[in-house]
Amino acid sequence: MKTFNIKPADVKKDWVVIDADGLVLGRLASLVALRLRGKHLPIFTPNVDCGDNVVVINAEKVRLTGNKARDSIFYWHTGHPGGIKGRSKGQILAGKHPERVIEKAVERMLPRGPLGRQQLSNLRVYAGTDHPHAAQQPLAVDIGAMNRKNKRI
């Protein structure tokens, strides 16, 4: 038996839309990262971007369990002395760009390097229900129905 390795020219990417309304952040991010990498496909090849294009809508309605909205902090540094800054996930979700919480969670589940950055570019996250990718005819995937723990009401 020979190992199957797909070539980048042979990859066929599908479009998937996921509604994040009421979904738990970590469970959503892990399933999105799985789709972006292509690990759900039988033709998965670790060194080729064979994953799908994923569109996530309703990012502002994602749920956090426990005290993560208050206690889980995203840190960054301005580059100046004493320039460490941080905001909690709850503040970011309530702020101007709630889609960044999902983007960061998925980014940290993908491999670091050129391939991970290429796979992350196939993710589009929108705060509301509208998205400009209707022409690609994305397939709707119901993450909440996969496992009862995926959805919080």
Side-chain angles (χ1 to χ4, degrees):
M1 178 180 269
K2 296 188 73 137
T3 302
F4 179 76
N5 286 320
I6 194 165
K7 299 199 174 23
D10 299 334
V11 173
K12 182 187 168 293
K13 290 182 164 292
D14 293 330
W15 283 80
V16 175
V17 65
I18 297 173
D19 188 0
D21 188 11
L23 296 180
V24 177
L25 175 65
R27 290 175 168 271
L28 169 68
S30 66
L31 291 168
V32 168
L34 181 105
R35 284 245 174 211
L36 287 173
R37 292 225 43 214
K39 289 189 126 185
H40 64 292
L41 298 171
I43 59 165
F44 172 69
T45 305
N47 61 331
V48 176
D49 179 15
C50 55
D52 295 337
N53 291 293
V54 179
V55 178
V56 179
I57 57 173
N58 286 326
E60 75 240 354
K61 297 179 183 174
V62 75
R63 302 278 186 207
L64 298 168
T65 58
N67 295 326
K68 292 187 194 91
R70 183 188 67 222
D71 297 341
S72 183
I73 310 289
F74 283 130
Y75 291 102
W76 68 93
H77 199 282
T78 63
H80 295 285
I84 190 86
K85 295 189 177 218
R87 290 182 72 198
S88 70
K89 288 181 182 174
Q91 288 175 325
I92 296 171
L93 280 174
K96 197 170 170 183
H97 301 286
E99 62 273 3
R100 290 182 183 166
V101 174
I102 294 177
E103 288 171 358
K104 270 297 183 195
V106 173
E107 176 186 341
R108 292 172 178 177
M109 292 184 184
L110 291 175
R112 278 69 174 165
L115 182 61
R117 288 189 294 273
Q118 182 182 358
Q119 289 167 343
L120 189 64
S121 70
N122 295 325
L123 173 67
R124 284 104 176 154
V125 184
Y126 299 100
T129 57
D130 298 331
H131 64 87
H133 305 288
Q136 282 75 27
Q137 300 170 345
L139 174 74
V141 175
D142 189 8
I143 301 287
M146 289 180 180
N147 188 335
R148 65 179 179 83
K149 294 180 181 179
N150 290 351
K151 196 163 183 91
R152 294 288 159 104
I153 305 219

